[in-house]
Amino acid sequence: MGKGRMEAFSDGVLAIIITIMVLELKVPHGIDLAALQPLLPVFLSYVLSFVYLGIYWNNHHHMLHTCQHASGPVLWANLHLLFWLSLFPFVTGWMGENHFATMPTALYGVVLLMAAIAYYILQVMIIRSQGDDSLLAKAIGNDMKGKLSPILYVVGILASLVEMWIAHVIYVAVALMWLIPDRRIERAMGTRGT
Amino acid sequence: MGKGRMEAFSDGVLAIIITIMVLELKVPHGIDLAALQPLLPVFLSYVLSFVYLGIYWNNHHHMLHTCQHASGPVLWANLHLLFWLSLFPFVTGWMGENHFATMPTALYGVVLLMAAIAYYILQVMIIRSQGDDSLLAKAIGNDMKGKLSPILYVVGILASLVEMWIAHVIYVAVALMWLIPDRRIERAMGTRGT
Amino acid sequence: MGKGRMEAFSDGVLAIIITIMVLELKVPHGIDLAALQPLLPVFLSYVLSFVYLGIYWNNHHHMLHTCQHASGPVLWANLHLLFWLSLFPFVTGWMGENHFATMPTALYGVVLLMAAIAYYILQVMIIRSQGDDSLLAKAIGNDMKGKLSPILYVVGILASLVEMWIAHVIYVAVALMWLIPDRRIERAMGTRGT
Amino acid sequence: MGKGRMEAFSDGVLAIIITIMVLELKVPHGIDLAALQPLLPVFLSYVLSFVYLGIYWNNHHHMLHTCQHASGPVLWANLHLLFWLSLFPFVTGWMGENHFATMPTALYGVVLLMAAIAYYILQVMIIRSQGDDSLLAKAIGNDMKGKLSPILYVVGILASLVEMWIAHVIYVAVALMWLIPDRRIERAMGTRGT
């Protein structure tokens, strides 16, 4: 089974998720700048989620580049990842419209955590399908960022219940950590002469 | 006529259906966990529909893999399937927002049934277009799951009018039955050396 | 310039238009069948528009199959067609929610007419870009259906102002006329051995 | 890294943005032409934004045609452009629903400006990734239109605060200036014999 349609379907779902989030930015009734002020937290949470979905798309793009065939487990692990990502518009809207309140902030972290776990499962499924000489396994190496992220999300979720802003700092920090593009896979493929 | 655009269009429609369903999860006004409680049935029906659409995408992916050309009847049978799948967001929302009440549960089953029939028609059209030596015909064999599902949906629809939870158990059971990926096609193609 | 991205973009836009139309089917508050009754005209207009968009996608698919390169005028003629098709959700919703009233029925016809004209312009642009030996020009022949449709839409628009149901009959009749897949292009390509 | 998925993802996002804008055209309750009158400014701003997004898709299509590989900086510059384009539905709705009032008109100009800057950054990133013999650099030449547009947007934003209609004239004029398809790239590629 080729991977073309899995990529196309994932691109479609990610493109829609990233775009319908903007519908939470409801057009205000006022016509002055003051009318936009209540939208600021919604806008900021939109920017954060846009960056996270951009990171996921980017890394997904790189990861599937190492993958030749889409087996059943890989297809379902991919759908599982898309499921958690599809909850981004909901938690982004809830957090933004409630000005980064405690529970919405914690739930945002839970969805970040579940998406990170789903991404990890997909990674394992692809490596398993590639056998001993897995290109992806070599590419990710010790996978520091992949292992650190879920831990930081858990810290963020717990922190949100005590001191909310710590959670926000952590969510932004993890995003910045990933913004640095994942050159490991490009490098691994380069040495193989692909 | 190639099948590339039929796949691309189907992927697009399925990606949008699976994603706009999440818009039924309306962002609540409260900021505590209690505000999320009324959303639980909407969320559960979202999960069920997400799994069903994932199954359809998965099987559609496998089925079209055996298909080389998209004739007129195949294109229209495919659009007919997409039509019934496009009603998923509506029946999912109606069932979820009414806490799995009788009529919404029955209508959900009707859409499941119509989608299953549409899928069956598409299968017949592809087999017919492939002629005597149809790869798809060999791959599906006696097609037990395909024949059993509509019967179970009918039982579920009737049951929903008497004892609602039986319908829900049946809908979930059919989904689980299909979650096991359809290895028949992979096997049939393997023996052909594709 | 290749035509791949023009096809992909058109598929995306058509997939979204066909799918967001279903959002006009607002989830009702009641839980019995009576709650669905006011939705019947919305549903019927949804079915009609779904069929029309399916026809456009189908014919677009066939037409671009004859086209090798996407020049500037072809790209813009294509965007022009997509613009009129993008108004389908609006006029479908207006006609459906107002139980096929006069003005909404007339406006629905106007959008059908403009889309038909835009399709014709796109056809002309592709033929022009193909030069004297245009495959598309041969394929469409005298283009009876293409010439008849706009005339019928105009009749429908005028009829809607006098006797509404005549317009509805005409809109359905034109759709049925097109539902018969356009075998001309398949035939023309067959004789060329493509 | 191939550029296929970057194109597919961009097509998806652009297709969704251009289509969900139409959701701002809310179906009116009245059934006569008078009911449509308040929608006229929303419709006009929809047309303007549709044309702008069409221009962006068109030029994006041409620009990526010169690009062979999608490096990390190019991927992120592309996402950055998509971010600003994703705000089109919001500013279009705000400007349209408020009958082209001052602040909405100014903000529309700001999003136009930011999108133009993001497009310029993407252009620089692609040229840089192509090295000295950059095909894109040759193709765009002195890039008059690319340099003039942001200046005109700034003039438009400032003008909107004084005399609103000047801003509208400028926004329309820049769109018309770009509507003339960018033949420079087609020409440059032609001389290279691509």
Side-chain angles (χ1 to χ4, degrees):
Chain A
M1 291 286 145
K3 63 171 180 170
R5 277 195 72 185
M6 187 169 89
E7 285 187 335
F9 184 71
S10 306
D11 281 346
V13 171
L14 280 165
I16 298 155
I17 294 171
I18 218 169
T19 319
I20 63 172
M21 276 197 313
V22 92
L23 294 177
E24 288 300 325
L25 269 177
K26 304 258 164 61
V27 173
H29 289 295
I31 62 165
D32 45 10
L33 282 184
L36 293 182
Q37 215 188 322
L39 290 176
L40 191 65
V42 185
F43 180 72
L44 290 178
S45 62
Y46 173 59
V47 173
L48 182 62
S49 293
F50 192 98
V51 171
Y52 264 113
L53 288 167
I55 290 166
Y56 269 105
W57 178 77
N58 227 320
N59 289 345
H60 192 263
H61 175 119
H62 280 75
M63 183 158 71
L64 261 71
H65 209 73
T66 68
C67 172
Q68 295 306 320
H69 297 290
S71 63
V74 169
L75 286 175
W76 278 105
N78 190 52
L79 277 165
H80 178 237
L81 171 62
L82 294 178
F83 174 77
W84 289 108
L85 296 179
S86 82
L87 296 178
F88 264 74
F90 176 76
V91 291
T92 303
W94 203 35
M95 187 168 76
E97 283 174 31
N98 292 294
H99 298 207
F100 301 95
T102 302
M103 266 307 144
T105 298
L107 193 71
Y108 190 88
V110 169
V111 169
L112 282 180
L113 176 63
M114 296 309 294
I117 292 173
Y119 188 85
Y120 180 77
I121 293 174
L122 175 57
Q123 196 170 276
V124 169
M125 291 298 167
I126 293 177
I127 289 174
R128 201 170 285 177
S129 78
Q130 290 178 335
D132 281 345
D133 190 38
S134 166
L135 180 58
L136 180 57
K138 270 182 203 136
I140 57 168
N142 60 3
D143 194 19
M144 272 299 279
K145 285 201 277 189
K147 280 171 190 151
L148 195 57
S149 301
I151 297 169
L152 288 173
Y153 293 142
V154 171
V155 174
I157 295 165
L158 295 176
S160 73
L161 304 174
V162 188
E163 198 67 76
M164 227 158 56
W165 63 267
I166 302 180
H168 301 140
V169 168
I170 290 176
Y171 299 165
V172 171
V174 176
L176 291 177
M177 178 177 94
W178 280 104
L179 262 182
I180 305 153
D182 212 322
R183 293 188 190 284
R184 293 172 303 180
I185 291 174
E186 290 187 49
R187 220 182 308 129
M189 298 198 77
T191 59
R192 274 212 178 180
T194 310
Chain B
M1 292 285 146
K3 62 171 179 170
R5 276 194 75 184
M6 188 169 87
E7 286 187 334
F9 185 70
S10 306
D11 280 346
V13 171
L14 279 165
I16 298 154
I17 295 171
I18 218 170
T19 319
I20 63 172
M21 276 197 314
V22 91
L23 294 176
E24 288 300 326
L25 269 178
K26 305 258 163 62
V27 173
H29 288 295
I31 62 166
D32 44 9
L33 282 183
L36 294 182
Q37 216 188 321
L39 290 176
L40 192 64
V42 185
F43 180 72
L44 290 178
S45 62
Y46 173 58
V47 174
L48 182 62
S49 294
F50 192 99
V51 171
Y52 263 113
L53 288 167
I55 290 166
Y56 270 105
W57 178 76
N58 227 320
N59 290 344
H60 192 264
H61 174 120
H62 281 76
M63 183 157 71
L64 262 71
H65 209 73
T66 69
C67 173
Q68 295 305 320
H69 297 289
S71 62
V74 169
L75 287 175
W76 278 104
N78 191 53
L79 277 165
H80 178 237
L81 171 61
L82 294 178
F83 174 77
W84 290 107
L85 295 179
S86 81
L87 295 179
F88 263 74
F90 176 76
V91 290
T92 302
W94 202 35
M95 186 168 76
E97 284 174 29
N98 292 295
H99 298 209
F100 301 95
T102 303
M103 266 309 144
T105 298
L107 192 71
Y108 190 88
V110 170
V111 169
L112 283 180
L113 176 63
M114 296 309 293
I117 292 173
Y119 188 85
Y120 180 78
I121 293 174
L122 176 56
Q123 197 170 276
V124 168
M125 291 300 168
I126 293 177
I127 289 175
R128 201 170 286 177
S129 78
Q130 290 178 335
D132 281 346
D133 190 38
S134 165
L135 180 57
L136 180 57
K138 271 185 203 134
I140 57 168
N142 60 3
D143 195 20
M144 273 298 281
K145 286 201 277 189
K147 279 171 190 152
L148 195 56
S149 301
I151 297 170
L152 287 173
Y153 294 142
V154 171
V155 173
I157 295 164
L158 295 175
S160 73
L161 304 174
V162 189
E163 198 67 76
M164 227 159 56
W165 63 267
I166 302 180
H168 302 140
V169 168
I170 289 176
Y171 298 165
V172 171
V174 177
L176 291 178
M177 179 176 92
W178 280 105
L179 261 183
I180 305 154
D182 213 320
R183 292 188 190 284
R184 293 170 304 179
I185 291 173
E186 290 188 48
R187 219 180 311 127
M189 299 199 77
T191 59
R192 274 212 179 180
T194 311
Chain C
M1 292 285 146
K3 63 171 178 169
R5 277 194 73 183
M6 188 169 87
E7 286 187 335
F9 184 70
S10 307
D11 281 345
V13 171
L14 280 165
I16 297 155
I17 294 171
I18 218 170
T19 319
I20 64 172
M21 276 196 315
V22 91
L23 294 177
E24 288 300 326
L25 268 178
K26 304 257 164 64
V27 173
H29 288 296
I31 62 165
D32 45 9
L33 282 183
L36 293 182
Q37 216 189 321
L39 289 176
L40 191 64
V42 185
F43 180 73
L44 289 178
S45 62
Y46 173 59
V47 173
L48 183 61
S49 293
F50 192 99
V51 170
Y52 263 113
L53 288 168
I55 290 166
Y56 270 106
W57 178 75
N58 228 321
N59 290 345
H60 192 264
H61 174 120
H62 281 76
M63 183 158 71
L64 262 70
H65 209 73
T66 69
C67 173
Q68 295 306 319
H69 298 288
S71 63
V74 169
L75 287 175
W76 278 103
N78 190 53
L79 277 164
H80 178 237
L81 171 61
L82 294 178
F83 174 77
W84 290 108
L85 296 180
S86 82
L87 296 178
F88 264 74
F90 176 76
V91 290
T92 303
W94 202 36
M95 186 168 76
E97 283 173 31
N98 293 296
H99 298 207
F100 302 94
T102 302
M103 266 308 144
T105 297
L107 192 71
Y108 190 88
V110 170
V111 170
L112 283 180
L113 176 62
M114 296 309 294
I117 293 172
Y119 188 85
Y120 180 78
I121 293 173
L122 175 56
Q123 198 170 275
V124 169
M125 290 300 167
I126 292 177
I127 290 174
R128 200 169 288 176
S129 78
Q130 289 178 334
D132 282 344
D133 190 37
S134 166
L135 180 57
L136 181 57
K138 271 183 204 138
I140 58 168
N142 61 4
D143 194 20
M144 274 297 280
K145 286 201 277 189
K147 278 170 190 150
L148 195 56
S149 301
I151 297 168
L152 288 173
Y153 294 142
V154 171
V155 174
I157 295 164
L158 296 174
S160 73
L161 304 174
V162 189
E163 198 66 76
M164 227 159 55
W165 64 266
I166 302 179
H168 301 139
V169 168
I170 290 176
Y171 298 164
V172 171
V174 178
L176 290 178
M177 178 177 94
W178 281 104
L179 261 182
I180 305 154
D182 211 321
R183 293 190 190 283
R184 295 171 302 179
I185 291 173
E186 290 187 49
R187 219 181 310 128
M189 298 199 77
T191 59
R192 274 212 179 180
T194 310
Chain D
M1 292 285 145
K3 64 172 178 167
R5 276 194 74 184
M6 187 168 89
E7 286 186 335
F9 184 71
S10 306
D11 281 346
V13 171
L14 280 164
I16 298 155
I17 294 171
I18 218 170
T19 319
I20 64 173
M21 275 196 315
V22 92
L23 294 177
E24 288 300 326
L25 269 179
K26 304 257 164 63
V27 173
H29 288 295
I31 61 166
D32 46 9
L33 281 183
L36 293 182
Q37 215 188 323
L39 289 176
L40 192 65
V42 184
F43 180 73
L44 290 178
S45 62
Y46 173 60
V47 173
L48 182 61
S49 293
F50 192 98
V51 171
Y52 264 113
L53 288 167
I55 290 166
Y56 269 105
W57 177 76
N58 228 321
N59 289 345
H60 191 264
H61 174 119
H62 281 76
M63 183 159 70
L64 262 70
H65 209 73
T66 68
C67 173
Q68 295 306 320
H69 297 289
S71 62
V74 169
L75 286 174
W76 278 104
N78 190 52
L79 277 165
H80 178 237
L81 171 62
L82 294 178
F83 174 77
W84 290 106
L85 296 179
S86 81
L87 296 178
F88 264 74
F90 176 77
V91 291
T92 303
W94 202 35
M95 186 168 77
E97 284 174 30
N98 292 295
H99 298 207
F100 301 95
T102 304
M103 266 308 144
T105 297
L107 193 71
Y108 190 88
V110 169
V111 169
L112 283 179
L113 176 63
M114 296 310 294
I117 292 172
Y119 188 85
Y120 180 78
I121 293 174
L122 175 57
Q123 196 170 275
V124 168
M125 290 299 166
I126 293 176
I127 290 174
R128 200 170 286 176
S129 77
Q130 290 178 334
D132 282 344
D133 189 38
S134 166
L135 180 58
L136 181 57
K138 270 183 204 136
I140 58 169
N142 60 3
D143 193 20
M144 273 298 280
K145 285 201 278 187
K147 279 171 191 151
L148 195 57
S149 301
I151 296 168
L152 288 172
Y153 294 142
V154 171
V155 174
I157 295 165
L158 296 174
S160 73
L161 304 174
V162 188
E163 198 67 75
M164 226 160 56
W165 63 266
I166 302 180
H168 301 140
V169 168
I170 290 176
Y171 299 164
V172 171
V174 177
L176 291 177
M177 177 177 93
W178 280 104
L179 261 182
I180 305 153
D182 212 322
R183 292 188 191 283
R184 294 171 303 179
I185 291 174
E186 291 188 50
R187 218 179 311 127
M189 298 199 78
T191 59
R192 274 212 179 182
T194 311

